[in-house]
Amino acid sequence: MTTLIFGHQNPDTDALTSAMSWAEYQRQLGNPDVEAVALGEPNDETKFALDYFKVAAPRVIKTAANETDTVMLVDHNEFQQSVADIADVTIASVVDHHRVANFKTAAPLFYRAEPVGSTNSLIYKMFKEKGFTVPATLAGLMASGIISDTLLLKSPTTTPLEREVLPELAAIAGLDLEAYGLAMLKAGTNLAAKSDLDIVEGDAKSFEMAGKTVRIGQVNVVDLTEIEARQAAIEATMKAEAEQNGYDTFVLIATDILNSNSIGLAYGQDQDKLEAAFGATFDADRRLALPGVVSRKKQVVPPLQAAYEA
Ligand code: ZN
Ligand code: ZN
């Protein structure tokens, strides 16, 4: 049976392309029977990368146990961010750069996690450890994952590993890093092409915090006023999603990728938790100013978790 490899739901560029790079690593390791799949369609930014390198998007799966008994996780570990029937299959390996939470297996597994800026930079490090080579097209896709997660090395999630390996991958792929990176990031910010649901849910993840389910979406923009102009519809969409899916709180972080600032919009009972987490208050327009905040993983989840558990 083919082992399926996939990143988290609502795949971002790192999730989607790290499934491909981990599949290639497995093949070079002598495991040919693997397939990179995805838990959702590529977003606009990822589509730009796939089109640029003329690579088809991975097949989308909704469940895994109907076609395999073994999976490999990349770019996530929390079960509520994984395939719906994750509890029914064996997890052979995890390669990740997120916190470990809500994760449990019956059998031993290969688990590699490092607090680095992207899963692709970690996988590239593992390629180098084995002396494996990265094909040019894959190098371009891996570079795209790193660019996405680190906002072209500008996010505080960037570590020395990304500064070292991103230029190496760009060289293998023959990429002009600055030009390609900005074009790719901007491709993900075309709000006119996104529905309210795309904006709210397109990159959203669920987190358990002190027994509550907190849904945190993030959208990259080049102009925050585009989000502000659609705020009422966005809030109504967050409310509907929360009611339909049982989220206690829904938070949308809109991030200005050119100026490295965000605003937060929220629906739910726990807005005091958000205010405590960031030491700020929602203004009269129900917006939370988040200067310097660009990373959900590093600058939003930890303080919010602390506020919930206080
Ligand atoms: Zn990701
Ligand atoms: Zn990632």
Side-chain angles (χ1 to χ4, degrees), residues 140-194:
L141 294 172
M142 293 174 80
S144 301
I146 297 171
I147 291 165
S148 175
D149 269 21
T150 64
L151 295 178
L152 199 45
L153 305 180
K154 288 187 189 74
S155 162
T157 55
T158 308
T159 72
L161 179 64
E162 287 72 48
R163 293 187 200 289
E164 176 195 326
V165 304
L166 183 55
E168 293 179 23
L169 286 164
I172 297 170
L175 276 183
D176 176 339
L177 202 47
E178 282 295 318
Y180 172 80
L182 265 185
M184 189 198 85
L185 290 173
K186 280 193 175 162
T189 65
N190 183 9
L191 290 196
K194 287 192 208 298

Side-chain angles (χ1 to χ4, degrees), residues 26-74:
Q26 291 298 322
R27 287 183 206 107
Q28 294 193 33
L29 201 59
N31 277 336
D33 201 8
V34 295
E35 182 188 0
V37 294
L39 303 185
E41 299 292 339
N43 62 33
D44 291 340
E45 179 197 277
T46 312
K47 264 186 220 141
F48 176 93
L50 293 170
D51 289 349
Y52 187 93
F53 294 103
K54 301 183 173 63
V55 173
R59 183 168 66 90
V60 174
I61 63 162
K62 295 284 173 225
T63 56
N66 55 309
E67 51 177 309
T68 189
D69 56 10
T70 308
V71 302
M72 296 179 172
L73 309 187
V74 290

Side-chain angles (χ1 to χ4, degrees), residues 7-16 18 74-76 96-98 119 148-149 203 205 296:
H8 50 80
Q9 295 173 18
N10 287 344
D12 51 28
T13 304
D14 191 44
L16 199 127
S18 63
V74 290
D75 200 41
H76 75 297
D96 193 18
H97 68 125
H98 294 88
T119 299
S148 175
D149 269 21
D203 189 42
K205 293 182 181 177
R296 171 173 49 199

Side-chain angles (χ1 to χ4, degrees), residues 244-264:
Q244 196 176 326
N245 300 291
Y247 308 138
D248 295 292
T249 292
F250 206 127
V251 187
L252 178 70
I253 308 294
T255 300
D256 176 344
I257 58 166
L258 299 183
N259 296 302
S260 298
N261 282 318
S262 294
I263 58 167

